[in-house]
mmCIF file of all heavy atoms in Angstrom:
data_model
loop_
_atom_site.group_PDB
_atom_site.id
_atom_site.type_symbol
_atom_site.label_atom_id
_atom_site.label_comp_id
_atom_site.label_asym_id
_atom_site.label_seq_id
_atom_site.Cartn_x
_atom_site.Cartn_y
_atom_site.Cartn_z
ATOM 1 N N GLU A 4 -24.730 34.137 -26.777
ATOM 2 C CA GLU A 4 -25.378 33.422 -25.696
ATOM 3 C C GLU A 4 -25.416 34.267 -24.440
ATOM 4 O O GLU A 4 -24.648 35.222 -24.213
ATOM 5 C CB GLU A 4 -24.645 32.099 -25.392
ATOM 6 C CG GLU A 4 -23.200 32.267 -24.908
ATOM 7 C CD GLU A 4 -22.568 30.917 -24.538
ATOM 8 O OE1 GLU A 4 -23.002 29.884 -25.096
ATOM 9 O OE2 GLU A 4 -21.652 30.918 -23.715
ATOM 10 N N ILE A 5 -26.320 33.851 -23.532
ATOM 11 C CA ILE A 5 -26.486 34.524 -22.246
ATOM 12 C C ILE A 5 -25.486 33.991 -21.244
ATOM 13 O O ILE A 5 -25.201 32.816 -21.209
ATOM 14 C CB ILE A 5 -27.955 34.263 -21.700
ATOM 15 C CG1 ILE A 5 -28.955 34.794 -22.671
ATOM 16 C CG2 ILE A 5 -28.131 34.975 -20.372
ATOM 17 C CD1 ILE A 5 -28.965 36.272 -22.942
ATOM 18 N N SER A 6 -24.920 34.872 -20.389
ATOM 19 C CA SER A 6 -23.958 34.452 -19.405
ATOM 20 C C SER A 6 -24.634 33.751 -18.243
ATOM 21 O O SER A 6 -25.884 33.750 -18.109
ATOM 22 C CB SER A 6 -23.243 35.726 -18.884
ATOM 23 O OG SER A 6 -24.165 36.492 -18.133
ATOM 24 N N PRO A 7 -23.839 33.067 -17.342
ATOM 25 C CA PRO A 7 -24.422 32.358 -16.248
ATOM 26 C C PRO A 7 -25.336 33.222 -15.309
ATOM 27 O O PRO A 7 -26.341 32.737 -14.810
ATOM 28 C CB PRO A 7 -23.238 31.842 -15.472
ATOM 29 C CG PRO A 7 -22.123 31.736 -16.490
ATOM 30 C CD PRO A 7 -22.394 32.904 -17.455
ATOM 31 N N SER A 8 -24.988 34.453 -15.184
ATOM 32 C CA SER A 8 -25.783 35.372 -14.329
ATOM 33 C C SER A 8 -27.088 35.753 -14.866
ATOM 34 O O SER A 8 -28.014 36.203 -14.199
ATOM 35 C CB SER A 8 -24.953 36.655 -13.987
ATOM 36 O OG SER A 8 -24.852 37.433 -15.157
ATOM 37 N N GLY A 9 -27.225 35.627 -16.241
ATOM 38 C CA GLY A 9 -28.420 36.080 -16.895
ATOM 39 C C GLY A 9 -28.391 37.537 -17.234
ATOM 40 O O GLY A 9 -29.318 38.074 -17.841
ATOM 41 N N LYS A 10 -27.284 38.235 -16.865
ATOM 42 C CA LYS A 10 -27.191 39.652 -17.039
ATOM 43 C C LYS A 10 -26.199 40.089 -18.105
ATOM 44 O O LYS A 10 -26.143 41.256 -18.467
ATOM 45 C CB LYS A 10 -26.804 40.328 -15.727
ATOM 46 C CG LYS A 10 -27.773 40.121 -14.566
ATOM 47 C CD LYS A 10 -27.248 40.738 -13.279
ATOM 48 C CE LYS A 10 -28.153 40.501 -12.096
ATOM 49 N NZ LYS A 10 -27.658 41.105 -10.836
ATOM 50 N N GLY A 11 -25.410 39.118 -18.594
ATOM 51 C CA GLY A 11 -24.411 39.429 -19.584
ATOM 52 C C GLY A 11 -24.640 38.646 -20.883
ATOM 53 O O GLY A 11 -25.465 37.737 -20.940
ATOM 54 N N LEU A 12 -23.839 39.002 -21.869
ATOM 55 C CA LEU A 12 -23.925 38.351 -23.156
ATOM 56 C C LEU A 12 -22.524 38.062 -23.692
ATOM 57 O O LEU A 12 -21.586 38.855 -23.428
ATOM 58 C CB LEU A 12 -24.657 39.284 -24.172
ATOM 59 C CG LEU A 12 -25.017 38.653 -25.542
ATOM 60 C CD1 LEU A 12 -26.296 37.879 -25.400
ATOM 61 C CD2 LEU A 12 -25.136 39.755 -26.584
ATOM 62 N N ARG A 13 -22.402 36.966 -24.387
ATOM 63 C CA ARG A 13 -21.097 36.612 -24.952
ATOM 64 C C ARG A 13 -21.307 36.271 -26.430
ATOM 65 O O ARG A 13 -22.269 35.569 -26.785
ATOM 66 C CB ARG A 13 -20.530 35.423 -24.243
ATOM 67 C CG ARG A 13 -19.083 35.140 -24.555
ATOM 68 C CD ARG A 13 -18.430 34.434 -23.390
ATOM 69 N NE ARG A 13 -18.482 35.212 -22.189
ATOM 70 C CZ ARG A 13 -18.970 34.855 -21.020
ATOM 71 N NH1 ARG A 13 -19.547 33.699 -20.896
ATOM 72 N NH2 ARG A 13 -18.943 35.637 -19.979
ATOM 73 N N ILE A 14 -20.454 36.768 -27.276
ATOM 74 C CA ILE A 14 -20.465 36.439 -28.701
ATOM 75 C C ILE A 14 -19.193 35.629 -29.003
ATOM 76 O O ILE A 14 -18.111 36.095 -28.739
ATOM 77 C CB ILE A 14 -20.563 37.664 -29.608
ATOM 78 C CG1 ILE A 14 -21.816 38.469 -29.310
ATOM 79 C CG2 ILE A 14 -20.546 37.223 -31.090
ATOM 80 C CD1 ILE A 14 -21.932 39.751 -30.148
ATOM 81 N N TRP A 15 -19.391 34.398 -29.486
ATOM 82 C CA TRP A 15 -18.256 33.554 -29.895
ATOM 83 C C TRP A 15 -18.076 33.719 -31.381
ATOM 84 O O TRP A 15 -19.031 33.528 -32.147
ATOM 85 C CB TRP A 15 -18.480 32.124 -29.491
ATOM 86 C CG TRP A 15 -18.422 31.922 -28.001
ATOM 87 C CD1 TRP A 15 -19.463 31.767 -27.143
ATOM 88 C CD2 TRP A 15 -17.235 31.817 -27.205
ATOM 89 N NE1 TRP A 15 -19.041 31.621 -25.850
ATOM 90 C CE2 TRP A 15 -17.641 31.651 -25.868
ATOM 91 C CE3 TRP A 15 -15.854 31.863 -27.511
ATOM 92 C CZ2 TRP A 15 -16.770 31.510 -24.817
ATOM 93 C CZ3 TRP A 15 -14.978 31.764 -26.438
ATOM 94 C CH2 TRP A 15 -15.422 31.584 -25.121
ATOM 95 N N ILE A 16 -16.824 34.009 -31.796
ATOM 96 C CA ILE A 16 -16.572 34.252 -33.222
ATOM 97 C C ILE A 16 -15.397 33.375 -33.717
ATOM 98 O O ILE A 16 -14.649 32.859 -32.866
ATOM 99 C CB ILE A 16 -16.247 35.740 -33.449
ATOM 100 C CG1 ILE A 16 -14.872 36.127 -32.848
ATOM 101 C CG2 ILE A 16 -17.320 36.651 -32.941
ATOM 102 C CD1 ILE A 16 -14.436 37.546 -33.171
ATOM 103 N N ALA A 17 -15.233 33.271 -34.983
ATOM 104 C CA ALA A 17 -14.101 32.544 -35.543
ATOM 105 C C ALA A 17 -12.839 33.311 -35.178
ATOM 106 O O ALA A 17 -12.837 34.556 -35.218
ATOM 107 C CB ALA A 17 -14.219 32.375 -37.024
ATOM 108 N N ALA A 18 -11.792 32.624 -34.809
ATOM 109 C CA ALA A 18 -10.526 33.245 -34.383
ATOM 110 C C ALA A 18 -10.092 34.295 -35.415
ATOM 111 O O ALA A 18 -9.914 33.952 -36.566
ATOM 112 C CB ALA A 18 -9.467 32.228 -34.136
ATOM 113 N N PRO A 19 -9.924 35.557 -35.009
ATOM 114 C CA PRO A 19 -9.568 36.606 -35.952
ATOM 115 C C PRO A 19 -8.036 36.711 -36.243
ATOM 116 O O PRO A 19 -7.215 36.219 -35.432
ATOM 117 C CB PRO A 19 -10.025 37.897 -35.241
ATOM 118 C CG PRO A 19 -9.836 37.549 -33.790
ATOM 119 C CD PRO A 19 -10.194 36.054 -33.706
ATOM 120 N N SER A 20 -7.699 37.268 -37.343
ATOM 121 C CA SER A 20 -6.296 37.536 -37.656
ATOM 122 C C SER A 20 -5.867 38.946 -37.365
ATOM 123 O O SER A 20 -4.700 39.307 -37.422
ATOM 124 C CB SER A 20 -6.038 37.251 -39.177
ATOM 125 O OG SER A 20 -6.881 38.081 -39.959
ATOM 126 N N ASP A 21 -6.798 39.780 -36.951
ATOM 127 C CA ASP A 21 -6.533 41.175 -36.606
ATOM 128 C C ASP A 21 -5.503 41.216 -35.428
ATOM 129 O O ASP A 21 -5.707 40.635 -34.409
ATOM 130 C CB ASP A 21 -7.816 41.835 -36.136
ATOM 131 C CG ASP A 21 -7.707 43.378 -35.987
ATOM 132 O OD1 ASP A 21 -6.676 43.851 -35.473
ATOM 133 O OD2 ASP A 21 -8.623 44.054 -36.391
ATOM 134 N N GLU A 22 -4.375 41.892 -35.624
ATOM 135 C CA GLU A 22 -3.314 41.933 -34.657
ATOM 136 C C GLU A 22 -3.781 42.573 -33.371
ATOM 137 O O GLU A 22 -3.278 42.224 -32.260
ATOM 138 C CB GLU A 22 -2.115 42.688 -35.193
ATOM 139 C CG GLU A 22 -1.333 41.984 -36.296
ATOM 140 C CD GLU A 22 -0.109 42.715 -36.691
ATOM 141 O OE1 GLU A 22 0.204 43.769 -36.096
ATOM 142 O OE2 GLU A 22 0.596 42.235 -37.611
ATOM 143 N N ARG A 23 -4.765 43.433 -33.416
ATOM 144 C CA ARG A 23 -5.274 44.086 -32.167
ATOM 145 C C ARG A 23 -5.957 43.075 -31.271
ATOM 146 O O ARG A 23 -6.132 43.328 -30.076
ATOM 147 C CB ARG A 23 -6.275 45.183 -32.536
ATOM 148 C CG ARG A 23 -5.705 46.373 -33.322
ATOM 149 C CD ARG A 23 -6.800 47.333 -33.694
ATOM 150 N NE ARG A 23 -7.806 46.678 -34.550
ATOM 151 C CZ ARG A 23 -9.000 47.228 -34.831
ATOM 152 N NH1 ARG A 23 -9.360 48.378 -34.303
ATOM 153 N NH2 ARG A 23 -9.861 46.588 -35.600
ATOM 154 N N ALA A 24 -6.389 41.942 -31.846
ATOM 155 C CA ALA A 24 -7.097 40.931 -31.072
ATOM 156 C C ALA A 24 -6.241 40.007 -30.316
ATOM 157 O O ALA A 24 -6.699 39.172 -29.523
ATOM 158 C CB ALA A 24 -8.016 40.177 -32.022
ATOM 159 N N THR A 25 -4.893 40.103 -30.552
ATOM 160 C CA THR A 25 -3.975 39.126 -29.892
ATOM 161 C C THR A 25 -4.033 39.212 -28.400
ATOM 162 O O THR A 25 -4.060 38.149 -27.750
ATOM 163 C CB THR A 25 -2.518 39.435 -30.348
ATOM 164 O OG1 THR A 25 -2.452 39.356 -31.757
ATOM 165 C CG2 THR A 25 -1.555 38.419 -29.742
ATOM 166 N N LYS A 26 -4.116 40.401 -27.851
ATOM 167 C CA LYS A 26 -4.116 40.581 -26.392
ATOM 168 C C LYS A 26 -5.565 40.757 -25.883
ATOM 169 O O LYS A 26 -6.447 41.187 -26.607
ATOM 170 C CB LYS A 26 -3.269 41.747 -25.943
ATOM 171 C CG LYS A 26 -1.810 41.595 -26.266
ATOM 172 C CD LYS A 26 -1.074 42.785 -25.761
ATOM 173 C CE LYS A 26 0.420 42.702 -26.127
ATOM 174 N NZ LYS A 26 1.086 41.524 -25.549
ATOM 175 N N ARG A 27 -5.766 40.387 -24.680
ATOM 176 C CA ARG A 27 -7.049 40.662 -24.005
ATOM 177 C C ARG A 27 -7.244 42.170 -23.880
ATOM 178 O O ARG A 27 -6.322 42.916 -23.538
ATOM 179 C CB ARG A 27 -7.072 40.079 -22.608
ATOM 180 C CG ARG A 27 -8.296 40.461 -21.775
ATOM 181 C CD ARG A 27 -8.106 39.993 -20.346
ATOM 182 N NE ARG A 27 -9.218 40.440 -19.487
ATOM 183 C CZ ARG A 27 -9.081 40.796 -18.194
ATOM 184 N NH1 ARG A 27 -7.864 40.723 -17.644
ATOM 185 N NH2 ARG A 27 -10.096 41.208 -17.545
ATOM 186 N N ARG A 28 -8.410 42.673 -24.327
ATOM 187 C CA ARG A 28 -8.682 44.111 -24.267
ATOM 188 C C ARG A 28 -9.982 44.374 -23.549
ATOM 189 O O ARG A 28 -10.958 43.635 -23.718
ATOM 190 C CB ARG A 28 -8.722 44.759 -25.673
ATOM 191 C CG ARG A 28 -7.360 44.713 -26.360
ATOM 192 C CD ARG A 28 -7.395 45.324 -27.740
ATOM 193 N NE ARG A 28 -6.060 45.258 -28.376
ATOM 194 C CZ ARG A 28 -5.115 46.173 -28.235
ATOM 195 N NH1 ARG A 28 -5.376 47.280 -27.548
ATOM 196 N NH2 ARG A 28 -3.946 46.055 -28.839
ATOM 197 N N VAL A 29 -9.979 45.456 -22.747
ATOM 198 C CA VAL A 29 -11.135 45.750 -21.894
ATOM 199 C C VAL A 29 -11.631 47.116 -22.216
ATOM 200 O O VAL A 29 -10.837 48.064 -22.422
ATOM 201 C CB VAL A 29 -10.740 45.648 -20.407
ATOM 202 C CG1 VAL A 29 -11.948 45.974 -19.524
ATOM 203 C CG2 VAL A 29 -10.190 44.275 -20.061
#
């Protein structure tokens, strides 16, 4: 989906089991 600004994008996915995904990553 498109972000509120109209300039970004977000993908919502099923909660992953990958351990790397536990923390917020930038």
Side-chain angles (χ1 to χ4, degrees):
E4 64 176 25
I5 302 295
S6 69
S8 69
K10 299 177 182 179
L12 188 83
R13 193 155 296 124
I14 299 178
W15 289 101
I16 69 174
S20 57
D21 191 319
E22 290 186 1
R23 296 176 299 166
T25 302
K26 298 183 183 298
R27 173 189 174 214
R28 293 181 181 271
V29 180

